[in-house]
Each structure stands twice: as C-alpha cells, then as structure tokens.
Amino acid sequence: MIVKVTGVTHYTDSLFKITTERPKTFRFRAGEFVMVGMGDYDSTPKRAYSICSGPYDEELEFYSIKVPNGPLTSKLQHIKVGDDLYVGGKTTGTLITQNLELGGNLWMMATGTGIAPFMSLLRDPATYSDFDNIYVTWTTRTMAEQDAYHNILKESNCTFIPTITREEFHRPGRITDLVKEGKVFEQATTERDKVMLCGSTAFNTEMKNYLTERGWHEGNKTSAGNFVQEKAFVG
Ligand code: A2P
C-alpha cells in the first residue's frame, strides 16, 4: 500500500524517524516488521523495517539508519512530509509476546536501531498485562544515538537501562559485557525472566549463546520459549 508521510525527524547524521498515516485496514502485532520502500514503487529496493508504533496508534512510525550508499536509505533519508511511502501489506516477525511464555519479567535487549520493535511493544497495553515487570536495555555508541527514544523510555512504565560504548556515561560498555560481569540481569532465572533480543548479528549471537548455555530456550510460532531474537534490519 502507499501511505502519506506525516513527519520526518533527523537525529544524528545517520538516524531518522518517519511517521505516516495509517490506513484503518492495516493491522499488525506489536513487535512485527514490514517491507518498506519509496513511494515510486519500482525505483528502489524494499527493506524490512520494524514498526515502532503501537498496534492501536493512529500513525505508523519507522526508525532508520542512513546506510552509506544504501540503495534504499540514501533516497529514503530525503523523504518529506506529504511524500508517498510504500509499506507492504504483510507484517511478520518473531519478537511478539505470543512466542514467549508469559508472566514474570520481560527483558527487551537492543543495540542500535534494534530498539524499534520494542517501542511498539511498549506502546501496546497488552505487554504490561502479560508481564509483571519490563526491563529495556539499549546499547549505542553515543548518547545522541538515543535521542529518538531516550526520553520516552525514561518516562515509560519500564526499567530503562541505557548503556553507551564510546562516550563517558554512568553505565559504560556493551550490555553483553555488563551481563557477563554480573552487573545487569544477575538475578535472572529461566522461569521468571523472558528475553527478547534485537540488534546486530554479533550481539544476538553472543546473547543467544549466553542464554542457551544457562538453560534458556528459544521460542517460535509453534512453541513458546523464554527468549526470542531478531536481527535489527537495515544495518
Ligand atoms: P561498540 O561501540 O563497542 O562496537 P553499531 O553502531 O555498530 O550498530 O553498534 C551499536 C552498539 O552495539 C554499539 O554501542 C556497539 O558497541 C554495540 N555492539 C556491537 N557489537 C556488540 C556485541 N557483540 N554485543 C553487544 N553490543 C555490541
């Protein structure tokens, strides 16, 4: 479908957010992704984007990096209010609460633009009724790379644990290292703590290995688990 862009916000020189109108017929589950392209359908490739808005929100929101020479994002970064955006009709993804055993603590762990599907889940009231406590960890190189969502996360009904790797910060370092050093997630148990991972392949693999070595098992459509993962798209 083709939708009209209602807002574009640029953060650092490599991060931006697009909001669009939402046709009433477009349904999705919090945490899913969809294919996105330029409005002139044939001119550019489509890429998978997590939907950042909640399932009941009136607009759609997408968060993107600008991939240097990227066939889509080098054009998409110039999109303006009133322009057309192509959004595919089929939404899908593994970062949905249906793939997890419900109850206890939900940990959403993101690096970079991997925060996008978690914004959707945090904007869905069902997430708060499905779990007792929600923890969000977000690792980026700099503080500025958290501008799009840092304040929303701080004010939302979750425990927000930002970590910064390439600037001074009160919680410096990669989340994977903080977990291994016992500074975060140290009380977690396979019964109580459910985990969603969304970041680079290296991050996902490292956390997945950490969890599986300690007895966590991955969930999917056919059988709920106590962790799920998806690679952050577009870089
Ligand atoms: P670092 O600065 O140590 O590379 P990027 O900007 O490259 O997408 O990375 C986003 C954030 O994810 C950066 O803070 C980066 O830290 C961090 N990161 C990269 N690889 C891993 C990993 N294997 N585990 C945890 N964090 C990682």
Side-chain angles (χ1 to χ4, degrees), residues 111-112 139-141 145 165-166 174-176 200 202-203 206 235:
T111 66
T139 301
T140 56
R141 297 179 184 200
E145 287 170 352
T165 53
R166 302 199 188 182
R174 295 175 168 192
I175 189 63
T176 42
S200 63
F203 161 76
E206 213 175 309

Side-chain angles (χ1 to χ4, degrees), residues 86-127:
Y86 167 81
V87 178
K90 185 179 179 300
T91 63
T92 184
T94 55
L95 300 177
I96 51 175
T97 55
Q98 285 84 351
N99 291 349
L100 283 179
E101 294 157 6
L102 303 183
N105 299 329
L106 174 60
W107 289 80
M108 305 183 193
M109 297 185 168
T111 66
T113 55
I115 197 68
F118 300 149
M119 296 315 301
S120 179
L121 283 152
L122 290 168
R123 289 163 165 168
D124 183 359
T127 309

Side-chain angles (χ1 to χ4, degrees), residues 60-76:
L60 298 177
E61 182 178 304
F62 302 101
Y63 184 50
S64 182
I65 61 165
K66 303 173 189 175
V67 181
N69 303 316
L72 176 61
T73 62
S74 55
K75 289 191 177 172
L76 194 60

